[in-house]
Amino acid sequence: KAGVTQTPRYLIKTRGQQVTLSCSPISGHRSVSWYQQTPGQGLQFLFEYFSETQRNKGNFPGRFSGRQFSNSRSEMNVSTLELGDSALYLCASSPRWGFGETQYFGPGTRLLVL
Amino acid sequence: GNSVTQMEGPVTLSEEAFLTINCTYTATGYPSLFWYVQYPGEGLQLLLKATKADDKGSNKGFEATYRKETTSFHLEKGSVQVSDSAVYFCALSDPQAGNMLTFGGGTRLMVKP
């Protein structure tokens, strides 16, 4: 079974631009979560989706948004990019939404904001 | 709120040495606990998990026991290999927070031949 795929793998943007990242979960998985990884802040939860509904949101500004489609694929969008948004963005999927579910992570999208 | 504290790295060991990476947590509920591993240039892979007190998770020679009385989930391996060199993350899942994981800061392990 194919793993979680994320596109693109690498991205360079300039301040003020916006970016959309894509995540395709493992086939049959209906829950998708997003995390930001930086050297300074570590791994921080952005949001999670199940059945096209956002179920939980982390402590990030409104410039960060996401959505999930009926085929469980998910996108996240960052508007008005800032230098501090440079990070590895990880997507994770799981079969269900709920406590204790194992999250399966993709390879990430590395975003560099200049 | 919830938090996870890991020992800071890097941890440098010789091949076949014994490994312990300490992890303690603070949680409002009764969490599930996880160890994930990240190899260079890759995403996170689940190494092991435990869902209730005194459970022992194990995989690939790694073990960790859920200790509720000490709020700990220390990772151990009896004999490390060069291929174990990676960053290890301890994480918890709160019953009130769906699939959301709260991660520790990560511990880099370097194993020398």
Side-chain angles (χ1 to χ4, degrees), chain A residues 34-54:
Chain A
W34 289 90
Y35 293 83
Q36 182 196 64
Q37 185 177 23
T38 60
Q41 299 298 317
L43 280 154
Q44 293 186 288
F45 171 78
L46 280 157
F47 26 64
E48 66 178 327
Y49 289 88
F50 178 75
S51 293
E52 302 177 66
T53 302
Q54 188 179 89

Side-chain angles (χ1 to χ4, degrees), chain A residues 9-10 31 33 35 37 42-43 45 48 56-58 88 90 94 96-108, chain B residues 30-32 34 36 38 41-46 49 51 87 89 93-105:
Chain A
R9 292 291 311 277
Y10 303 93
S31 176
S33 301
Y35 293 83
Q37 185 177 23
L43 280 154
F45 171 78
E48 66 178 327
N56 216 342
K57 189 176 192 304
L88 180 67
L90 293 165
S94 63
R96 293 163 292 276
W97 181 76
F99 167 58
E101 285 287 326
T102 296
Q103 304 290 299
Y104 297 86
F105 283 82
Chain B
Y30 194 151
S32 287
F34 304 81
Y36 280 86
Q38 187 174 35
E42 298 184 14
L44 277 70
Q45 299 176 25
L46 177 69
K49 66 186 276 189
T51 59
V87 181
F89 292 92
S93 170
D94 187 301
Q96 306 301 319
N99 284 345
M100 184 180 83
L101 292 170
T102 299
F103 285 93

Side-chain angles (χ1 to χ4, degrees), chain A residues 32-99:
Chain A
V32 173
S33 301
W34 289 90
Y35 293 83
Q36 182 196 64
Q37 185 177 23
T38 60
Q41 299 298 317
L43 280 154
Q44 293 186 288
F45 171 78
L46 280 157
F47 26 64
E48 66 178 327
Y49 289 88
F50 178 75
S51 293
E52 302 177 66
T53 302
Q54 188 179 89
R55 300 291 176 144
N56 216 342
K57 189 176 192 304
N59 189 25
F60 279 82
R63 300 185 296 107
F64 291 81
S65 63
R67 58 178 175 168
Q68 186 181 33
F69 302 96
S70 58
N71 62 358
S72 295
R73 192 177 68 85
S74 178
E75 289 182 346
M76 67 163 283
N77 184 275
V78 188
S79 63
T80 320
L81 284 165
E82 300 177 359
L83 295 179
D85 297 333
S86 295
L88 180 67
Y89 290 89
L90 293 165
C91 168
S93 75
S94 63
R96 293 163 292 276
W97 181 76
F99 167 58

Side-chain angles (χ1 to χ4, degrees), chain B residues 6-18:
Chain B
Q6 291 180 236
M7 59 189 292
E8 290 196 20
V11 173
T12 303
L13 296 173
S14 297
E15 207 165 22
E16 299 184 3
F18 184 86

